[in-house]
Amino acid sequence: SQQGEEDPQALSIQEGENATMNCSYKTSINNLQWYRQNSGRGLVHLILIRSNEREKHSGRLRVTLDTSKKSSSLLITASRAADTASYFCATEGSTGNQFYFGTGTSLTVIP
Amino acid sequence: KAGVTQTPRYLIKTRGQQVTLSCSPISGHRSVSWYQQTPGQGLQFLFEYFSETQRNKGNFPGRFSGRQFSNSRSEMNVSTLELGDSALYLCASSLAPRAGGTQYFGPGTRLLVL
């Protein structure tokens, strides 16, 4: 499979704490994107980082990308109960022809 | 601006039947991609259409097909349904083919094959 792997598979934290999830992938990429999915619903785009970028911020989100290690991390600071969801990374291959999702991290934020 | 809509939202079929799912992209978006999501296999890319042409296809059998109309609306069809086709089918639209772009997802169609 060319899917990425996400780590951890599940994460449970207290409200106000930071949550970090990691994504590893296998092929050269144009960009890497993070999505959120609330239970059984569609995906919501969070942030896109291009292959020539190393770090990007959006509100309480911070994404890093290390193309030499083929890995990315998503940090959610000061988590809220509403952040409870599954988080997926998705990579667009350098040929632009395929789009692969990771296996996802299930985040639970306890109020 | 209305988001991506998918119909129907829920569907129950029996093995051997066929099914057609519909996706209406965001107004002005010309690229539509389809994904299958199952607990075991995760999110898998099915195919992408742009300007009524299939640009890319994932590793699915020929029972899975799709098309796109001149108004950018897209349909996917699954023939000879199998139990393993039970899944959430997600459609995503974007302004142009995915390269470097953001995809906007619909709520999905949940298909149950009995």
Side-chain angles (χ1 to χ4, degrees), chain B:
Chain B
K1 210 181 228 187
V4 178
T5 58
Q6 292 186 246
T7 57
R9 292 294 310 279
Y10 303 92
L11 202 50
I12 300 176
K13 291 284 191 176
T14 56
R15 277 182 302 174
Q17 288 187 311
Q18 74 163 14
V19 67
T20 299
L21 311 181
S22 180
C23 171
S24 292
I26 291 172
S27 178
H29 285 194
R30 295 169 61 195
S31 178
V32 173
S33 297
W34 289 89
Y35 298 86
Q36 181 197 65
Q37 185 176 29
T38 60
Q41 298 297 318
L43 275 154
Q44 297 189 88
F45 170 73
L46 279 157
F47 26 65
E48 178 189 23
Y49 287 87
F50 177 73
S51 293
E52 302 178 64
T53 302
Q54 187 180 89
R55 285 190 76 244
N56 294 302
K57 191 176 191 303
N59 296 323
F60 278 81
R63 299 185 298 106
F64 292 81
S65 63
R67 59 177 176 168
Q68 187 180 34
F69 302 95
S70 57
N71 61 358
S72 295
R73 189 177 70 84
S74 177
E75 289 181 347
M76 67 163 281
N77 183 278
V78 187
S79 62
T80 319
L81 284 166
E82 300 177 359
L83 296 179
D85 297 333
S86 294
L88 180 66
Y89 289 88
L90 294 163
C91 157
S93 78
S94 57
L95 281 168
R98 287 183 276 99
T102 298
Q103 295 185 81
Y104 296 86
F105 283 79
T109 293
R110 187 164 294 282
L111 171 66
L112 177 61
V113 182
L114 301 175

Side-chain angles (χ1 to χ4, degrees), chain A residues 3-11 21-24 34-35 37 43 85-90 101-107, chain B residues 37 41-43:
Chain A
Q3 277 185 312
E5 294 283 334
E6 295 192 53
D7 173 62
Q9 284 191 324
L11 178 61
M21 49 205 88
N22 304 295
C23 166
S24 60
W34 285 90
Y35 288 82
Q37 184 180 36
L43 281 79
S86 291
Y87 291 81
F88 295 88
C89 66
F101 279 89
T103 49
T105 292
S106 175
L107 172 66
Chain B
Q37 185 176 29
Q41 298 297 318
L43 275 154

Side-chain angles (χ1 to χ4, degrees), chain A residues 10-47:
Chain A
L11 178 61
S12 184
I13 59 174
Q14 294 290 136
E15 201 165 32
E17 293 181 338
N18 295 342
T20 299
M21 49 205 88
N22 304 295
C23 166
S24 60
Y25 56 92
K26 298 179 181 178
T27 62
S28 297
I29 62 170
N30 282 336
N31 64 70
L32 184 145
Q33 304 180 34
W34 285 90
Y35 288 82
R36 183 186 73 227
Q37 184 180 36
N38 290 90
S39 181
R41 304 182 71 174
L43 281 79
V44 175
H45 181 264
L46 295 176
I47 195 165

